[in-house]
Amino acid sequence: MVSPRDALRDASDAQVRLLIEDDHRRAELIEILRAESLIAAESLPPSPVEHPSGVLIGAGRLFPRGDRSLVSMLKEHIGPDCKLVIVVERLARRDVRRAIHEGVDGLVLWSQVRTTLAPTIRAVLAGQLVLPREHGANLEPPRLSVREKQVLSLVVMGMSNREIATQLYIGETTVKTHLSSAFRKLDVESRGEAARVISDPSEGLGTGILSITE
């Protein structure tokens, strides 16, 4: 078994490849990698089976609307022993959980790329999952109040605001207030989206988020 220390020492020997369409962005990353003695190759082998262990670096929106995720698309280009690092402009709470669920090994923000890309590559080669420091808390499910959980449970059941108000003996305005707060915590914009996020295993939440233990 390779120790983390050995993996860090051998990082410069691993193949680091780029799959980035933007010429300017690609040139910027190559400059960074060369300065850190991490050699970047821009071509990919024809088959994932032939791809050596190493790191593939991609960039772009993690989850384009209406399209497949960037993570799943890039995973098609690598074998099981290759790590995946993606550089993004911004990250939302849901993006972090979904990207990890789909198998990303490291996420880097463009605003921090010059200081964090090389350490991220070395860390993922050592078997670590690497996220921007400020997004570590996004791995945790959002903290919903008891009332927010009650309201969302009824939303998932398909109840209207009026029906929820009647069920919980509160006003419709109060229901809307709780929904607004819950939507913000879940990073969603509608009742349907909230129900889908709660019910979709790939979101990393599960219906357990609505369990009331307080």
Side-chain angles (χ1 to χ4, degrees):
M1 178 180 294
V2 179
S3 70
R5 179 174 296 179
D6 290 336
L8 288 172
R9 185 177 63 244
D10 296 338
S12 59
D13 298 325
Q15 280 202 297
V16 178
R17 293 177 175 271
L18 299 175
L19 188 57
I20 299 172
E21 295 182 357
D22 187 300
D23 291 339
H24 176 74
R25 293 292 202 186
R26 185 169 59 251
E28 180 181 3
L29 296 189
I30 290 174
E31 176 189 343
I32 294 169
L33 294 170
R34 285 177 176 164
E36 293 286 342
S37 299
L38 292 167
I39 305 302
E42 296 184 68
S43 60
L44 292 170
S47 169
V49 176
E50 299 174 17
H51 200 294
S53 61
V55 178
L56 175 65
I57 301 175
R61 291 184 59 187
L62 285 174
F63 303 100
R65 289 187 179 275
D67 296 326
R68 295 173 53 206
S69 75
L70 180 60
V71 179
S72 64
M73 288 188 287
L74 293 177
K75 293 285 278 188
E76 292 181 351
H77 292 281
I78 61 177
D81 296 325
C82 191
K83 306 296 185 179
L84 176 60
V85 173
I86 299 180
V87 189
V88 296
E89 290 286 355
R90 60 184 64 84
L91 278 172
R93 178 189 296 272
R94 291 170 56 196
D95 291 343
V96 174
R97 291 196 302 267
R98 289 182 62 191
I100 292 172
H101 178 82
E102 294 196 7
V104 78
D105 298 289
L107 294 171
V108 175
L109 292 171
W110 276 113
S111 61
Q112 303 169 3
V113 71
R114 289 194 170 272
T115 57
T116 61
L117 180 61
T120 295
I121 290 172
R122 295 189 171 99
V124 299
L125 285 170
Q128 300 176 35
L129 170 66
V130 185
L131 305 173
R133 183 184 303 275
E134 60 269 37
H135 288 277
N138 289 348
L139 295 178
E140 298 296 326
R143 296 186 178 183
L144 301 169
S145 70
V146 172
R147 188 62 91 183
E148 288 167 353
K149 293 178 181 180
Q150 291 173 333
V151 170
L152 285 172
S153 295
L154 299 178
V155 166
V156 172
M157 293 172 61
M159 288 191 180
S160 66
N161 286 356
R162 177 172 297 182
E163 291 171 329
I164 293 173
T166 300
Q167 179 76 18
L168 298 179
Y169 300 100
I170 57 178
E172 283 191 62
T173 300
T174 303
V175 172
K176 293 178 181 178
T177 298
H178 288 307
L179 281 177
S180 177
S181 175
F183 288 176
R184 184 172 60 255
K185 293 177 182 179
L186 292 173
D187 193 25
V188 299
E189 299 178 356
S190 68
R191 301 161 62 89
E193 192 177 4
R196 185 190 63 75
V197 165
I198 292 168
S199 305
D200 187 348
S202 70
E203 294 288 350
L205 295 178
T207 53
I209 192 175
L210 300 183
S211 299
I212 298 173
T213 58
E214 290 87 343

